[in-house]
Amino acid sequence: MAEIKRDDIINLVDLRKEFDDGFVAVDNINLYVRRGEFITFLGPSGCGKTTTLRMIAGFERPSSGKVLLNGEDISMLPPHKRPVNTVFQRYALFPHLNVKENVAFGLKLRKVEVTYEDENGDRFKRIEKLTREEIDAKVEKALKMVDLEGFESRSVSTLSGGQQQRVAIARAIVNEPEILLLDEPLGALDLKMRKDMQLELKEMHKKLGITFIYVTHDQEEALTMSDTVVVMKDGVIQQIGTPTDIYNEPKNTFVADFIGESNIFSGTALGGKKVRFIGNTFDCVDDFDKNEKVDVVVRPEDVYLVDEGLGQVNGKIISSIFKGIHYEMVLKVGKTEVIIQDTKERKVGEKASIIIRPEDIHLMHKEFSSNKYEGYITKKNTVCFGDGEFDCDVTTLYPNSFLDEEGYLITENGEKIDLTDIDVEVEVGLKDIEISDNLEEGGASGQIVSIIYKGDHYQIIVRTEENEEDFVCDTEYTWNENDIVSVIIKPEDIRLKLKEEVKR
């Protein structure tokens, strides 16, 4: 079990949620939330962030693991018994009630323990509802906190989206929860109002001094408001850190690609804090093993454009778009595209050079170097792996072997082997997988769940439906996320290895 720290208010211990259909939404998450912290779960749709929030709130029960509040296990406690309130994307205000009545709604149902003293000096307790005066005082305080004084009698239907959101927050904080959960509360607002409310929420967090746990898929929102960001993908935490750490020191290509804009290149560490990529050797601040293949991340704003011949690498501008505060340009270096953000424009067709400082180069261990699976050989001498069946060359399992007319493998010593159902280890290179929109063409099929551009190619992940097996491929062709495709692998590109020696 994770160690409970004294300033922790929430601890998630080996938290897992698997739904009845077998879908694993959250997979063994361990996380602590400090008292008074503004922490944000960030990730794409379906990554498990809202499910995690719902387990903290009590709307979902964990399949395994624990939710600890101040060290106490509340995993099975119903929502109304937790000192937690939730603000949803759809504010769920009562249209027939005015602002004050909406905020007061929960208080009218709330009961508190009151201590009395009789004429003999003996004390006794009663469970009572709040008085009208107490409710009015709490509502007034909550509305003042969200800058809605004077709106008490207004119908909520006459309020703007931002004002309705403030009413929803006031209704949540009026009960004085220890923790406020916010599930994409700005999702229904327009862009300008979202930006305004981001700053207001951050200021509100400072005033209240309570713990905020926030869910969003908006990277800018997370970076703007949070003390800590938790980046999630496929139900698993990818990285936890401050907004600065997450942006400047991403742990993997998913985080680098998801948080802001990034140049992601394939490179080779040369040792001595040097790395080679885009055809040149650069100094860097990360020290990796010599000749280790790495992913290189450089933010577009950290690439400096200079006149041709004055920088480290020369290229040609092939694209330039004005983005309001800067120009976003693409410099073609050989076959690789480098994205650059600069306030000074270089015209399309112009030759230029770039400088990248050592401190602006971030190296990461390669997440994928090849595809590896466990499979088995069929009676037809094909191989099944990754929820698919592929033609292969089984004679590579034994040097100098061949297949006889009946399909049995004959070793160089003349031994006859039936490979049916023999377990094998399968390896396929990233460049050895093709994908097609003809679902009959490949040995397996699935949905594209990730696309990351790496300067001169796309790295695509295709996930099968049955067992959620992943095929990772590098391709120069563009696809769209969620496309359904087939996976094509040539027999000569499938490397096989026996899991154990076959009994003759």
Side-chain angles (χ1 to χ4, degrees):
M1 177 185 283
E3 181 184 352
I4 309 301
K5 301 178 183 178
R6 281 194 295 179
D7 63 341
D8 294 354
I9 188 168
I10 286 286
N11 284 80
L12 308 181
V13 183
D14 298 328
L15 197 64
R16 177 182 171 87
K17 178 62 180 180
E18 182 175 349
F19 290 100
D20 293 339
D21 61 359
F23 175 69
V24 178
V26 174
D27 196 4
N28 293 323
I29 279 181
N30 288 280
L31 174 71
Y32 66 87
V33 180
R34 292 185 293 267
R35 191 177 307 279
E37 186 175 21
F38 195 130
I39 189 166
T40 297
F41 291 110
L42 173 67
S45 298
C47 73
K49 55 188 186 294
T50 293
T51 302
T52 304
L53 195 81
R54 289 176 63 83
M55 285 191 282
I56 296 172
F59 300 127
E60 297 283 358
R61 287 192 174 183
S63 303
S64 60
K66 296 178 180 179
V67 178
L68 304 181
L69 173 70
N70 297 319
E72 297 289 328
D73 187 356
I74 61 167
S75 305
M76 300 300 147
L77 208 62
H80 68 276
K81 291 190 175 180
R82 304 187 185 201
V84 171
N85 270 31
T86 307
V87 179
F88 300 99
Q89 181 174 342
R90 288 182 171 81
Y91 311 131
L93 300 176
F94 300 111
H96 61 287
L97 302 180
N98 63 26
V99 169
K100 180 180 178 180
E101 291 165 339
N102 264 282
V103 176
F105 185 82
L107 293 176
K108 291 177 180 178
L109 303 176
R110 184 177 169 188
K111 294 181 179 180
V112 293
E113 190 176 76
V114 182
T115 302
Y116 289 95
E117 190 173 300
D118 63 18
E119 56 190 15
N120 298 321
D122 295 326
R123 293 187 174 186
F124 61 96
K125 296 180 179 179
R126 284 182 183 167
I127 304 297
E128 298 180 355
K129 290 186 176 182
L130 294 173
T131 66
R132 183 173 180 178
E133 290 74 19
E134 288 172 323
I135 291 173
D136 287 347
K138 287 180 180 293
V139 170
E140 183 182 352
K141 182 181 177 182
L143 289 175
K144 185 176 182 181
M145 190 70 67
V146 298
D147 292 325
L148 284 179
E149 304 120 298
F151 283 71
E152 289 85 352
S153 301
R154 290 273 295 272
S155 168
V156 293
S157 61
T158 66
L159 302 181
S160 68
Q163 290 168 334
Q164 288 185 25
Q165 195 241 25
R166 288 195 203 127
V167 174
I169 292 172
R171 187 174 62 183
I173 64 176
V174 77
N175 284 306
E176 299 167 347
E178 291 186 55
I179 302 168
L180 186 63
L181 307 179
L182 300 109
D183 188 6
E184 305 218 33
L186 309 184
L189 305 180
D190 62 50
L191 180 61
K192 185 178 185 306
M193 192 170 288
R194 279 178 76 105
K195 290 183 179 295
D196 291 342
M197 285 306 302
Q198 287 171 15
L199 300 176
E200 288 192 29
L201 273 176
K202 185 65 178 173
E203 192 60 34
M204 202 179 299
H205 171 252
K206 289 180 183 177
K207 287 182 185 176
L208 290 168
I210 64 176
T211 305
F212 275 32
I213 303 180
Y214 196 91
V215 161
T216 184
H217 63 273
D218 187 306
Q219 304 95 317
E220 183 184 345
E221 202 163 274
L223 297 176
T224 299
M225 297 191 295
S226 314
D227 300 319
T228 302
V229 179
V230 180
V231 185
M232 295 185 66
K233 175 192 176 191
D234 296 336
V236 176
I237 292 175
Q238 301 295 307
Q239 187 171 353
I240 303 171
T242 65
T244 303
D245 290 340
I246 294 288
Y247 187 83
N248 291 329
E249 301 286 334
K251 286 286 177 68
N252 55 41
T253 53
F254 171 79
V255 177
D257 184 64
F258 190 75
I259 306 294
E261 293 205 39
S262 296
N263 290 290
I264 304 175
F265 308 109
S266 294
T268 304
L270 303 178
K273 296 186 179 179
K274 291 185 182 294
V275 61
R276 186 168 182 82
F277 65 99
I278 59 173
N280 193 64
T281 298
F282 295 83
D283 291 321
C284 59
V285 295
D286 299 317
D287 203 5
F288 279 61
D289 292 338
K290 188 175 182 179
N291 294 325
E292 181 178 351
K293 297 296 183 184
V294 293
D295 283 321
V296 182
V297 178
V298 182
R299 296 291 183 181
E301 66 269 22
D302 293 331
V303 183
Y304 296 92
L305 267 175
V306 294
D307 291 338
E308 184 182 19
L310 298 181
Q312 295 154 310
V313 180
N314 295 321
K316 185 178 180 181
I317 301 291
I318 62 169
S319 171
S320 178
I321 300 172
F322 183 56
K323 291 289 189 84
I325 58 174
H326 61 254
Y327 292 91
E328 186 165 283
M329 293 162 283
V330 177
L331 184 80
K332 193 75 173 283
V333 178
K335 293 183 178 179
T336 305
E337 295 180 357
V338 182
I339 302 171
I340 303 154
Q341 292 175 352
D342 201 323
T343 54
K344 180 183 177 182
E345 184 186 19
R346 300 266 178 163
K347 299 294 184 183
V348 172
E350 188 176 340
K351 292 182 179 180
S353 189
I354 56 172
I355 296 173
I356 307 174
R357 301 178 303 181
E359 60 269 28
D360 295 327
I361 297 172
H362 177 58
L363 304 189
M364 303 180 299
H365 295 285
K366 263 197 177 297
E367 196 171 359
F368 305 106
S369 55
S370 67
N371 294 274
K372 295 182 179 180
Y373 309 91
E374 293 188 355
Y376 64 90
I377 304 300
T378 72
K379 189 174 183 179
K380 300 178 291 183
N381 285 321
T382 58
V383 60
C384 286
F385 66 90
D387 284 345
E389 181 179 352
F390 299 85
D391 290 329
C392 64
D393 183 1
V394 294
T395 64
T396 58
L397 290 167
Y398 289 85
N400 303 318
S401 63
F402 65 92
L403 295 175
D404 67 11
E405 293 179 354
E406 296 177 312
Y408 291 99
L409 185 137
I410 310 299
T411 70
E412 62 180 336
N413 298 324
E415 294 177 282
K416 185 176 183 179
I417 299 176
D418 183 359
L419 294 172
T420 304
D421 293 332
I422 294 300
D423 291 330
V424 291
E425 295 174 355
V426 182
E427 184 172 4
V428 183
L430 304 182
K431 295 181 180 179
D432 295 330
I433 294 178
E434 297 178 47
I435 55 179
S436 169
D437 52 12
N438 181 352
L439 300 186
E440 305 298 321
E441 196 173 353
S445 63
Q447 184 179 43
I448 294 177
V449 296
S450 172
I451 302 174
I452 294 176
Y453 186 57
K454 304 190 78 172
D456 60 352
H457 68 275
Y458 298 90
Q459 189 163 93
I460 292 176
I461 300 178
V462 178
R463 181 163 297 157
T464 65
E465 182 178 0
E466 185 178 352
N467 292 308
E468 296 192 342
E469 294 275 6
D470 285 350
F471 291 89
V472 184
C473 70
D474 288 347
T475 177
E476 60 186 278
Y477 301 109
T478 57
W479 292 84
N480 296 314
E481 248 183 59
N482 301 319
D483 281 352
I484 305 297
V485 297
S486 65
V487 175
I488 303 166
I489 310 173
K490 296 175 183 176
E492 59 268 27
D493 292 328
I494 297 176
R495 296 186 285 281
L496 303 175
K497 182 181 178 182
L498 291 171
K499 286 197 72 174
E500 55 186 54
E501 194 68 23
V502 179
K503 294 180 181 180
R504 313 293 205 279

